[in-house]
Amino acid sequence: MKLTRLLSLLALATGAAVLTGCGTTMHLTPYSVTAYKPHNPDKVVVKVSLSTQNVYVEEGDRLLMAVQGNVGKPGASTPSGHFHVEEKIREKRSGEYGFTHSGASADGSKGEHVDVGYPMAFWVGFAPAYGFHQGFVWSEPHTHGCIRLHMEAAARLYALVKIGTPVIIEHSLPEDSTYGSKVRKLDQRNDPNPPTSLLMSKAWFQDPKGPLLIDEQ
Protein backbone atom coordinates (compact mmCIF):
# COMPACT_ATOMS: atom_id res chain seq x y z
CA MET A 1 0.00 0.00 0.00
CA LYS A 2 1.55 3.30 -1.08
CA LEU A 3 -0.26 5.93 0.94
CA THR A 4 2.60 8.43 0.78
CA ARG A 5 2.06 9.09 -2.90
CA LEU A 6 -1.71 9.43 -2.50
CA LEU A 7 -1.49 11.76 0.47
CA SER A 8 1.09 13.98 -1.21
CA LEU A 9 -1.05 14.26 -4.33
CA LEU A 10 -4.09 15.15 -2.25
CA ALA A 11 -2.26 18.17 -0.90
CA LEU A 12 -1.45 19.61 -4.32
CA ALA A 13 -3.58 22.04 -6.30
CA THR A 14 -3.33 22.23 -10.04
CA GLY A 15 -4.31 25.05 -12.39
CA ALA A 16 -7.74 26.63 -12.41
CA ALA A 17 -10.63 24.24 -12.80
CA VAL A 18 -12.52 24.87 -16.02
CA LEU A 19 -16.07 24.04 -16.95
CA THR A 20 -16.95 24.68 -20.57
CA GLY A 21 -20.42 24.64 -22.05
CA CYS A 22 -22.83 26.76 -24.07
CA GLY A 23 -19.92 28.88 -25.21
CA THR A 24 -19.01 29.84 -21.64
CA THR A 25 -15.90 29.03 -19.62
CA MET A 26 -16.11 29.13 -15.81
CA HIS A 27 -13.06 29.34 -13.60
CA LEU A 28 -13.82 27.83 -10.20
CA THR A 29 -11.63 27.11 -7.20
CA PRO A 30 -9.29 24.30 -8.26
CA TYR A 31 -9.24 21.08 -6.25
CA SER A 32 -6.80 18.34 -7.13
CA VAL A 33 -8.20 14.88 -6.40
CA THR A 34 -6.46 11.53 -6.73
CA ALA A 35 -8.58 8.38 -6.67
CA TYR A 36 -7.26 4.85 -7.11
CA LYS A 37 -9.03 1.98 -8.84
CA PRO A 38 -10.21 -0.63 -6.34
CA HIS A 39 -8.90 -4.17 -6.74
CA ASN A 40 -12.28 -5.51 -5.60
CA PRO A 41 -15.24 -3.11 -5.94
CA ASP A 42 -17.22 -5.26 -3.49
CA LYS A 43 -14.83 -4.20 -0.72
CA VAL A 44 -15.20 -0.43 -1.18
CA VAL A 45 -16.58 1.54 1.79
CA VAL A 46 -17.37 5.26 1.97
CA LYS A 47 -16.90 6.99 5.33
CA VAL A 48 -17.91 10.51 6.32
CA SER A 49 -16.77 12.42 9.40
CA LEU A 50 -19.34 15.07 10.30
CA SER A 51 -16.93 16.94 12.59
CA THR A 52 -14.27 17.42 9.91
CA GLN A 53 -16.53 17.14 6.82
CA ASN A 54 -13.95 14.75 5.38
CA VAL A 55 -14.97 11.93 3.05
CA TYR A 56 -12.80 8.82 2.93
CA VAL A 57 -13.16 6.00 0.41
CA GLU A 58 -11.42 2.80 1.42
CA GLU A 59 -10.94 -0.75 0.22
CA GLY A 60 -9.87 -2.77 3.23
CA ASP A 61 -6.69 -1.07 4.44
CA ARG A 62 -6.24 0.84 1.16
CA LEU A 63 -7.14 4.50 1.02
CA LEU A 64 -8.62 5.13 -2.41
CA MET A 65 -9.64 8.76 -2.00
CA ALA A 66 -9.83 11.38 0.74
CA VAL A 67 -11.47 14.76 0.18
CA GLN A 68 -13.37 17.50 1.94
CA GLY A 69 -17.12 17.50 1.58
CA ASN A 70 -19.85 19.78 2.91
CA VAL A 71 -22.46 18.41 5.33
CA GLY A 72 -25.77 19.63 6.67
CA LYS A 73 -26.06 22.89 8.57
CA PRO A 74 -27.66 23.16 12.05
CA GLY A 75 -31.33 22.37 11.78
CA ALA A 76 -30.78 20.37 8.58
CA SER A 77 -28.09 17.96 9.68
CA THR A 78 -26.77 15.04 7.66
CA PRO A 79 -27.98 11.78 9.23
CA SER A 80 -25.43 9.59 10.96
CA GLY A 81 -25.39 5.80 10.87
CA HIS A 82 -24.70 2.92 8.53
CA PHE A 83 -26.26 3.07 5.06
CA HIS A 84 -25.75 1.67 1.57
CA VAL A 85 -25.70 3.31 -1.86
CA GLU A 86 -29.29 3.04 -3.09
CA GLU A 87 -29.08 4.86 -6.41
CA LYS A 88 -26.69 6.53 -8.82
CA ILE A 89 -27.95 9.27 -11.15
CA ARG A 90 -25.29 11.07 -13.13
CA GLU A 91 -27.52 13.90 -14.40
CA LYS A 92 -29.84 14.38 -11.44
CA ARG A 93 -31.60 17.70 -10.92
CA SER A 94 -33.41 19.04 -7.89
CA GLY A 95 -37.20 18.87 -7.91
CA GLU A 96 -37.47 21.72 -5.40
CA TYR A 97 -34.73 24.23 -6.24
CA GLY A 98 -33.96 25.52 -9.71
CA PHE A 99 -34.83 27.93 -12.46
CA THR A 100 -38.10 29.52 -13.43
CA HIS A 101 -39.11 30.23 -17.01
CA SER A 102 -37.65 33.74 -16.65
CA GLY A 103 -34.24 32.34 -15.70
CA ALA A 104 -34.47 33.62 -12.13
CA SER A 105 -33.20 31.74 -9.09
CA ALA A 106 -29.80 31.12 -10.66
CA ASP A 107 -28.39 30.66 -7.15
CA GLY A 108 -30.69 27.68 -6.59
CA SER A 109 -33.17 29.56 -4.41
CA LYS A 110 -36.70 28.20 -4.28
CA GLY A 111 -39.19 29.56 -6.78
CA GLU A 112 -42.92 29.06 -7.26
CA HIS A 113 -42.41 27.20 -10.54
CA VAL A 114 -39.28 25.17 -11.13
CA ASP A 115 -38.97 24.52 -14.86
CA VAL A 116 -35.40 23.18 -14.76
CA GLY A 117 -34.04 21.83 -11.49
CA TYR A 118 -30.72 22.95 -10.07
CA PRO A 119 -28.03 20.42 -11.08
CA MET A 120 -26.95 17.82 -8.53
CA ALA A 121 -24.39 16.11 -10.74
CA PHE A 122 -23.04 12.63 -9.97
CA TRP A 123 -25.76 11.89 -7.43
CA VAL A 124 -25.04 8.94 -5.12
CA GLY A 125 -28.09 8.41 -2.91
CA PHE A 126 -27.71 6.54 0.38
CA ALA A 127 -31.06 7.26 2.09
CA PRO A 128 -34.40 8.76 1.01
CA ALA A 129 -33.71 12.39 0.00
CA TYR A 130 -30.04 12.18 1.06
CA GLY A 131 -27.00 11.68 -1.10
CA PHE A 132 -23.61 12.85 -2.28
CA HIS A 133 -23.60 15.25 -5.23
CA GLN A 134 -21.61 18.02 -6.87
CA GLY A 135 -22.07 21.46 -5.40
CA PHE A 136 -20.20 24.42 -3.94
CA VAL A 137 -18.31 23.28 -0.86
CA TRP A 138 -18.06 25.54 2.17
CA SER A 139 -15.58 25.25 5.04
CA GLU A 140 -18.49 25.00 7.49
CA PRO A 141 -21.66 22.86 7.42
CA HIS A 142 -23.97 24.54 4.94
CA THR A 143 -26.18 22.04 3.08
CA HIS A 144 -29.77 20.93 3.60
CA GLY A 145 -28.51 17.50 4.69
CA CYS A 146 -26.91 16.12 1.56
CA ILE A 147 -23.14 15.90 1.22
CA ARG A 148 -21.77 18.25 -1.42
CA LEU A 149 -18.51 17.57 -3.20
CA HIS A 150 -16.36 19.54 -5.60
CA MET A 151 -16.96 18.38 -9.18
CA GLU A 152 -13.49 16.79 -9.21
CA ALA A 153 -14.41 14.68 -6.18
CA ALA A 154 -18.06 14.01 -7.03
CA ALA A 155 -17.23 12.44 -10.39
CA ARG A 156 -14.62 10.20 -8.82
CA LEU A 157 -16.85 9.08 -5.96
CA TYR A 158 -19.48 8.21 -8.55
CA ALA A 159 -16.91 6.05 -10.35
CA LEU A 160 -15.73 4.35 -7.15
CA VAL A 161 -19.07 3.14 -5.80
CA LYS A 162 -21.88 0.91 -6.95
CA ILE A 163 -25.35 0.05 -5.72
CA GLY A 164 -24.91 -1.58 -2.33
CA THR A 165 -21.61 0.09 -1.40
CA PRO A 166 -21.61 0.71 2.39
CA VAL A 167 -21.73 4.31 3.61
CA ILE A 168 -20.72 5.01 7.20
CA ILE A 169 -21.43 8.47 8.64
CA GLU A 170 -20.28 9.31 12.17
CA HIS A 171 -19.47 12.42 14.19
CA SER A 172 -15.79 11.47 14.04
CA LEU A 173 -13.69 8.66 12.62
CA PRO A 174 -10.26 7.12 13.27
CA GLU A 175 -9.35 8.26 9.75
CA ASP A 176 -9.48 11.86 10.98
CA SER A 177 -6.25 11.18 12.86
CA THR A 178 -4.70 8.94 10.23
CA TYR A 179 -5.45 10.88 7.07
CA GLY A 180 -7.33 14.02 8.07
CA SER A 181 -4.38 16.39 8.24
CA LYS A 182 -3.53 15.61 4.62
CA VAL A 183 -6.99 16.39 3.23
CA ARG A 184 -6.81 19.70 1.41
CA LYS A 185 -9.40 22.12 2.78
CA LEU A 186 -11.79 23.85 0.43
CA ASP A 187 -14.10 26.86 0.56
CA GLN A 188 -16.02 27.85 -2.57
CA ARG A 189 -18.38 30.37 -1.03
CA ASN A 190 -16.81 33.20 -3.03
CA ASP A 191 -16.72 31.36 -6.36
CA PRO A 192 -18.73 33.16 -9.05
CA ASN A 193 -22.17 31.83 -9.84
CA PRO A 194 -21.97 29.86 -13.10
CA PRO A 195 -24.10 31.22 -15.95
CA THR A 196 -27.69 30.00 -15.90
CA SER A 197 -27.30 28.75 -19.47
CA LEU A 198 -24.51 26.43 -18.36
CA LEU A 199 -26.34 25.16 -15.27
CA MET A 200 -29.40 24.40 -17.39
CA SER A 201 -27.43 22.51 -20.03
CA LYS A 202 -26.15 18.93 -20.26
CA ALA A 203 -22.62 20.33 -20.48
CA TRP A 204 -22.64 20.83 -16.71
CA PHE A 205 -22.55 17.05 -16.20
CA GLN A 206 -19.36 16.35 -18.12
CA ASP A 207 -16.49 14.46 -16.49
CA PRO A 208 -13.49 16.46 -15.28
CA LYS A 209 -10.48 16.22 -17.57
CA GLY A 210 -8.12 13.28 -17.22
CA PRO A 211 -8.73 9.76 -15.92
CA LEU A 212 -11.13 9.57 -12.98
CA LEU A 213 -9.43 6.55 -11.40
CA ILE A 214 -5.79 5.58 -11.69
CA ASP A 215 -3.84 2.41 -11.04
CA GLU A 216 -1.70 2.44 -7.94
CA GLN A 217 1.98 2.38 -8.83
Side-chain angles (χ1 to χ4, degrees):
M1 181 175 60
K2 298 184 179 180
L3 295 179
T4 303
R5 180 170 180 266
L6 173 58
L7 295 177
S8 63
L9 286 170
L10 286 170
L12 295 177
T14 57
V18 178
L19 289 174
T20 304
C22 301
T24 304
T25 300
M26 278 300 302
H27 294 273
L28 302 176
T29 299
Y31 196 64
S32 180
V33 176
T34 299
Y36 290 118
K37 292 179 182 178
H39 299 317
N40 183 352
D42 291 336
K43 299 297 184 181
V44 173
V45 179
V46 181
K47 299 181 180 181
V48 180
S49 172
L50 296 175
S51 60
T52 64
Q53 301 197 97
N54 290 342
V55 178
Y56 309 101
V57 184
E58 301 173 49
E59 177 194 9
D61 62 354
R62 291 182 69 211
L63 179 65
L64 303 179
M65 185 177 79
V67 296
Q68 184 188 336
N70 197 193
V71 301
K73 60 188 176 182
S77 59
T78 299
S80 61
H82 289 212
F83 309 91
H84 291 84
V85 173
E86 297 181 350
E87 61 179 358
K88 294 176 62 180
I89 306 174
R90 179 188 174 90
E91 297 186 10
K92 182 177 175 66
R93 290 185 177 274
S94 172
E96 185 176 4
Y97 300 92
F99 311 95
T100 65
H101 67 280
S102 63
S105 303
D107 61 352
S109 59
K110 190 174 182 180
E112 294 183 0
H113 303 286
V114 176
D115 296 330
V116 179
Y118 202 80
M120 304 167 70
F122 302 104
W123 170 267
V124 174
F126 58 82
Y130 293 99
F132 301 87
H133 64 85
Q134 179 274 332
F136 281 9
V137 174
W138 287 40
S139 60
E140 62 196 48
H142 189 68
T143 79
H144 294 94
C146 286
I147 301 168
R148 289 186 201 156
L149 297 169
H150 191 285
M151 183 71 85
E152 295 283 342
R156 288 170 171 83
L157 179 71
Y158 190 89
L160 281 166
V161 304
K162 64 177 186 173
I163 303 300
T165 295
V167 176
I168 299 172
I169 304 175
E170 303 290 354
H171 175 72
S172 61
L173 294 167
E175 286 81 357
D176 292 332
S177 297
T178 309
Y179 309 123
S181 64
K182 301 299 183 180
V183 174
R184 179 172 170 256
K185 296 304 179 182
L186 177 65
D187 193 337
Q188 294 183 275
R189 74 182 71 199
N190 294 320
D191 280 9
N193 284 327
T196 300
S197 59
L198 176 57
L199 292 172
M200 294 176 69
S201 75
K202 290 179 68 68
W204 183 261
F205 300 96
Q206 65 184 343
D207 282 340
K209 292 183 178 180
L212 295 180
L213 306 179
I214 63 174
D215 292 313
E216 189 169 15
Q217 300 300 316

